[in-house]
């Protein structure tokens, strides 16, 4: 049995009745069986887990004011203009469609402009808007619509998007959706995914429920054709294979869909700093260097880094050797990222590199040009292995 109304086993029906009694003290008039089954399905009809999940979510809703957020929340301008995405049209069953050009997101610019909890609040607003559109559509088609279809456009996704604070923020948003809007996602269509997408998706997968993972469809070159099988052409922009343009004639319909892009520095808050819970600390002694060494065994692994210094600049470069670090010095290694002085005391330095060959990769901080001053650095480094490939598909690597 599917666990939906009209398709319940005797066990599921009994569990629903017990669940309704257990949470009766917190239910509102709109919390019908359809609503309750969302939480039960999300926890495989485990009564205790479903009750805990619902009560926790209702507490979050109260704290964030989600019940009336559509009337009270003023979206910060930087999120309105630079956080990608927008609702556009409905699928063949009348479900709202959210088009998300995620490959254009500038996580660093956004996190330098607003706090992470502001981003989560904004995504809560977005989720509530989707449910509101579904409720309006329900009246038109005379059936319950309480889900959303998502089209995730990954064009532009690159190594910069593996920046750890950005990935952590995205995963926090994913967890927020899973915990507070279970079973709301109907389908997730991923289009124009670049070669790096499997690595990025592998970082997100642990934060998605098994049910959500099953709804992810990674489309190939015929993605426009597939989208039009699920979404009428007159509910899609020309840019995505449909027939719609906006009032200005834009085939991408950018009046309704935000396409993101680099956040201008004018939005950066002087009081806003990036979260430091992911950072380690190091001291680069005067006239010396500080090295981070990584033994890479799997080709095409990615090393991504973020670092900043206190008060003064620092030299930085990346080196490679097929030998182990204790057998060679940086001067004997291949210079992959030429060493240069960076003003990371003004703005954090962030980048990534694909490790095409197994061997030793060294991130070197250089303070040899300073004979009077030690430099304190804060850094976070991630090594991500590519997903295992099997018959053209991929699975997340064993951790």
């Amino acid at each position: 049995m599917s666990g939906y109304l009209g398709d319940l086993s005797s066990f599921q029906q009994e569990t629903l009745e017990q669940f309704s009694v257990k949470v009766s003290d917190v239910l509102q008039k709109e919390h019908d069986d359809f609503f309750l089954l969302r939480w039960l399905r999300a926890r495989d009809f485990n009564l205790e887990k479903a009750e805990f999940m619902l009560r926790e979510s209702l507490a979050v809703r109260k704290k964030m004011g989600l019940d009336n957020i559509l009337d009270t929340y003023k979206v910060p301008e930087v999120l309105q203009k630079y956080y990608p995405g927008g609702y556009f049209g409905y699928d063949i069953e009348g479900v709202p469609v959210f088009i998300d050009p995620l490959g254009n997101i500038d996580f660093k610019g956004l996190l330098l402009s607003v706090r992470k909890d502001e981003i989560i609040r904004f995504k809560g607003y977005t989720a509530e808007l989707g449910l509101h559109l579904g409720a309006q559509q329900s009246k038109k088609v005379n059936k319950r619509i309480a889900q959303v279809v998502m089209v995730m456009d990954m064009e532009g996704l690159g190594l910069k998007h593996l920046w750890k604070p950005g990935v952590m923020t995205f995963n926090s948003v994913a967890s927020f959706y899973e915990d507070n809007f279970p079973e709301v996602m109907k389908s997730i269509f991923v289009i124009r995914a670049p070669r790096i997408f499997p690595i990025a998706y592998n970082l997100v997968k642990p934060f998605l429920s098994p049910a959500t993972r099953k709804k992810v469809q990674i489309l190939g070159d015929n993605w426009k054709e597939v989208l039009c099988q699920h979404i009428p052409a007159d509910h899609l922009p020309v840019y995505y294979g449909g027939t719609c343009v906006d009032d200005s004639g834009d085939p991408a319909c950018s009046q309704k869909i935000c396409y993101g892009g680099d956040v201008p520095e004018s939005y950066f808050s002087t009081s806003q700093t990036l979260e430091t819970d992911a950072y380690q600390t190091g001291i680069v002694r005067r006239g010396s260097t500080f090295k981070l060494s990584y033994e890479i065994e799997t080709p095409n692994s990615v090393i991504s880094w973020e670092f900043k210094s206190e008060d003064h600049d620092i030299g930085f470069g990346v080196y490679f050797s097929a030998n182990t670090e204790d057998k060679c010095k940086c001067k004997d290694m291949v210079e992959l990222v030429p060493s240069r002085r960076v003003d990371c005391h003004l703005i954090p330095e962030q980048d990534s590199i694909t490790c095409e060959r197994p061997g030793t990769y060294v991130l070197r901080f250089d303070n040899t040009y300073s004979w009077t001053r030690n430099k304190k650095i804060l850094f976070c480094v991630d090594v991500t292995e590519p997903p295992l490939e099997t018959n053209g598909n991929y699975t997340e690597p064993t951790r």
Side-chain angles (χ1 to χ4, degrees), residues 29-318:
K29 61 181 181 179
E30 66 270 19
H31 294 163
D32 55 10
D33 287 351
F34 185 99
F35 171 84
L36 293 176
L37 284 170
R38 283 174 43 201
W39 305 88
L40 287 172
R41 290 196 304 273
R43 290 297 179 261
D44 295 324
F45 282 80
N46 182 303
L47 193 58
E48 291 184 358
K49 290 182 179 179
E51 180 183 358
F52 178 81
M53 182 185 188
L54 176 57
R55 291 184 182 276
E56 287 290 298
S57 179
L58 291 177
V60 170
R61 292 188 67 83
K62 183 177 181 179
K63 181 179 179 181
M64 295 181 64
L66 291 179
D67 286 340
N68 58 2
I69 196 170
L70 295 181
D71 298 320
T72 61
Y73 183 59
K74 183 178 180 181
V75 179
E77 183 177 292
V78 67
L79 297 180
Q80 187 177 30
K81 290 186 174 181
Y82 292 98
Y83 202 107
Y87 287 101
F88 194 95
Y90 301 85
D91 78 350
I92 58 177
E93 296 181 336
V95 176
V97 175
F98 187 84
I99 297 178
D100 186 359
L102 187 62
N104 293 332
I105 197 168
D106 175 13
F107 272 124
K108 176 183 283 189
L110 291 171
L111 288 171
L112 285 171
S113 304
V114 296
R115 294 176 59 86
K116 185 173 77 171
D117 57 3
E118 187 66 56
I119 291 177
I120 293 177
R121 184 178 300 276
F122 169 64
K123 298 307 289 182
Y125 168 86
T126 302
E128 288 295 324
L129 179 57
L131 292 177
H132 175 70
L133 293 173
Q136 289 184 322
Q137 191 71 357
S138 297
K139 299 175 183 178
K140 296 180 181 179
V141 299
N142 197 30
K143 68 176 181 179
R144 185 71 167 266
I145 295 178
Q147 290 185 304
V148 170
V149 170
M150 180 172 287
V151 178
M152 301 190 74
D153 183 358
M154 291 297 175
E155 185 175 49
L157 187 74
L159 292 174
K160 68 177 183 179
H161 293 104
L162 299 184
W163 176 57
K164 187 168 185 177
V167 172
M168 291 171 64
T169 299
F170 187 85
N171 289 342
S172 294
V173 170
S175 294
F176 171 74
Y177 275 158
E178 293 284 5
D179 292 342
N180 298 285
F181 298 91
E183 296 291 298
V184 166
M185 203 63 64
K186 177 186 176 183
S187 302
I188 303 173
F189 298 106
V190 177
I191 63 173
R192 302 201 285 194
R195 292 186 62 182
I196 198 174
F197 173 76
I199 296 177
Y201 184 40
N202 198 55
L203 295 174
V204 176
K205 267 188 176 182
F207 296 86
L208 303 179
S209 68
T212 300
R213 295 185 195 183
K214 292 178 181 178
K215 297 174 182 179
V216 177
Q217 300 181 48
I218 304 171
L219 306 185
D221 293 338
N222 65 334
W223 59 268
K224 288 185 178 180
E225 177 185 342
V226 176
L227 286 184
C228 286
Q229 292 173 3
H230 296 269
I231 306 169
D234 59 353
H235 283 255
L236 273 174
V238 170
Y239 186 63
Y240 289 107
T243 60
C244 297
V245 296
D246 62 20
D247 294 339
S248 66
D250 180 7
C253 297
S254 55
Q255 290 179 347
K256 291 189 175 182
I257 302 169
C258 175
Y259 282 86
D262 292 341
V263 177
E265 291 186 14
S266 59
Y267 284 103
F268 294 178
S269 170
T270 55
S271 62
Q272 184 71 12
T273 57
L274 298 178
E275 294 187 38
T276 60
D277 56 353
Y279 286 78
Q280 295 178 274
T281 302
I283 300 296
V284 190
R285 301 293 180 184
R286 58 183 184 176
S288 186
T289 62
F290 179 86
K291 293 182 288 187
L292 302 171
S293 179
Y294 300 90
E295 299 295 330
I296 302 299
E297 298 180 356
T298 306
N300 295 317
S301 294
V302 174
I303 300 178
S304 55
W305 59 83
E306 163 89 9
F307 64 86
K308 52 188 176 182
S309 60
E310 293 186 353
D311 300 327
H312 301 280
D313 65 4
I314 195 72
F316 179 77
V318 181

